[in-house]
């Protein structure tokens, strides 16, 4: 299994909603990442988890809250988002931290 | 800090060869990735260069010169399906990877 699976594929939420994005990998990778990608822009790193501990937070607003329940799962909890947070949210994993990234297909998020 | 430059757009003809350049200034540089991304899809890994030189994988090759802060991706025998965005990304000793803005390649018949 060489896949990173993200759910949902599409999400529309209001600014007062609370929702969660989920990511799962079964490749035994010990590093997992959240990226945000706007149209015609490269992915921007948000968070890195290494061995289930948060190792990098790229000064992301607190309305985004990551969680790594175990070595296979990564969540991104969303609360009180703004319309400018609408983007493609990509999860990725790598064997050790810093290795080649395996990307999921992403969640297309629209905040209304 | 990180500074990565690559051309915004390139156009080439089916069957031809195209070279996409990437220059970088990266503290703690530890290697360079190339990814391909089709519109609306996730990036897919193409290559990873750590040492100077050319790495060949089928129709795609990638070159790195650490002393010059320079890499290129070479695509041979272009096919229509190669139309995509090509992202170079530097890797650091701290495990951080920063993407360039990407080069949108259009392959024409």
């Amino acid at each position: 299994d060489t896949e990173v699976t993200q759910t949902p594929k599409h999400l529309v939420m209001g600014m007062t909603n609370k929702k969660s994005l989920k990511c799962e990998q079964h490749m035994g990778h010990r590093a997992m990442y959240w990226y945000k990608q706007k149209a015609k822009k490269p992915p921007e790193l948000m968070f890195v988890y290494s061995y289930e501990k948060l190792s990098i937070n790229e000064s992301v607003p607190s309305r985004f809250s990551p969680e790594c329940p175990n070595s296979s799962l990564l969540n991104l909890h969303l609360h009180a988002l703004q319309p400018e947070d609408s983007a493609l949210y990509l999860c990725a994993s790598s064997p050790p931290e810093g290795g080649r990234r395996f990307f999921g297909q992403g969640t297309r998020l629209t905040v209304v | 800090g990180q500074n990565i430059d690559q051309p915004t757009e390139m156009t080439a003809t089916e069957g031809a060869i195209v070279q996409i350049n990437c220059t970088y200034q990266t503290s703690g540089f530890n290697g360079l990735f190339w990814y391909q991304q089709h519109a609306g899809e996730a990036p897919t890994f193409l290559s990873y260069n750590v040492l100077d030189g050319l790495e060949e994988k089928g129709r795609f090759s990638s070159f790195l010169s650490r002393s010059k802060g320079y890499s290129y991706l070479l695509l041979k025998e272009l096919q229509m399906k190669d139309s995509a965005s090509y992202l170079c990304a530097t890797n650091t000793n701290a495990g951080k990877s920063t993407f360039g803005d990407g080069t949108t390649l259009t392959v024409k018949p």
Side-chain angles (χ1 to χ4, degrees):
Chain A
D1 184 357
T2 57
E3 282 192 350
V4 176
T5 304
Q6 288 187 244
T7 55
K9 287 188 169 45
H10 300 274
L11 179 62
V12 178
M13 60 185 291
M15 289 187 282
T16 59
N17 291 159
K18 284 186 182 181
K19 296 285 184 184
S20 296
L21 309 185
K22 297 187 182 300
C23 176
E24 190 169 3
Q25 57 90 12
H26 294 288
M27 295 178 278
H29 290 174
R30 303 317 301 265
M32 296 185 77
Y33 311 78
W34 281 115
Y35 290 86
K36 173 183 177 180
Q37 188 174 25
K38 302 282 268 186
K40 299 189 187 299
K41 292 290 186 183
E44 289 179 39
L45 183 65
M46 300 174 72
F47 303 104
V48 181
Y49 273 83
S50 180
Y51 291 88
E52 298 153 57
K53 292 193 185 328
L54 184 65
S55 63
I56 296 176
N57 176 345
E58 290 286 14
S59 303
V60 179
S62 59
R63 58 186 184 268
F64 296 91
S65 175
E67 178 196 19
C68 189
N70 60 54
S71 60
S72 299
L73 294 174
L74 185 67
N75 299 323
L76 186 63
H77 302 299
L78 314 172
H79 175 53
L81 294 193
Q82 303 297 311
E84 58 264 29
D85 297 322
S86 298
L88 180 68
Y89 287 83
L90 292 163
C91 173
S93 68
S94 64
E97 186 172 351
R100 166 196 164 183
R101 310 296 191 262
F102 290 74
F103 283 91
Q105 288 301 304
T107 294
R108 177 75 58 188
L109 175 67
T110 304
V111 182
V112 296
Chain B
Q2 319 287 346
N3 188 19
I4 303 170
D5 286 311
Q6 48 181 133
T8 304
E9 294 179 337
M10 298 184 72
T11 302
T13 305
E14 193 175 15
I17 299 173
V18 71
Q19 177 174 311
I20 303 174
N21 296 324
C22 173
T23 58
Y24 62 88
Q25 292 175 309
T26 299
S27 302
F29 178 82
N30 196 30
L32 188 140
F33 296 99
W34 282 97
Y35 291 89
Q36 179 192 61
Q37 187 174 26
H38 286 97
E41 298 182 12
T44 55
F45 171 83
L46 293 177
S47 66
Y48 182 44
N49 293 67
V50 177
L51 302 176
D52 285 359
L54 185 69
E55 302 244 352
E56 298 186 71
K57 276 188 191 179
R59 294 191 300 114
F60 293 5
S61 304
S62 58
F63 171 84
L64 178 67
S65 169
R66 295 176 71 118
S67 61
K68 294 182 180 177
Y70 168 68
S71 174
Y72 67 73
L73 180 70
L74 192 72
L75 293 76
K76 303 177 187 174
E77 301 169 17
L78 281 173
Q79 302 175 8
M80 299 298 290
K81 67 179 182 179
D82 297 330
S83 293
S85 180
Y86 291 85
L87 301 157
C88 72
T90 57
N91 207 28
T92 71
N93 294 328
K96 285 189 64 172
S97 189
T98 302
F99 286 86
D101 284 348
T103 299
T104 300
L105 173 66
T106 302
V107 180
K108 296 188 172 178

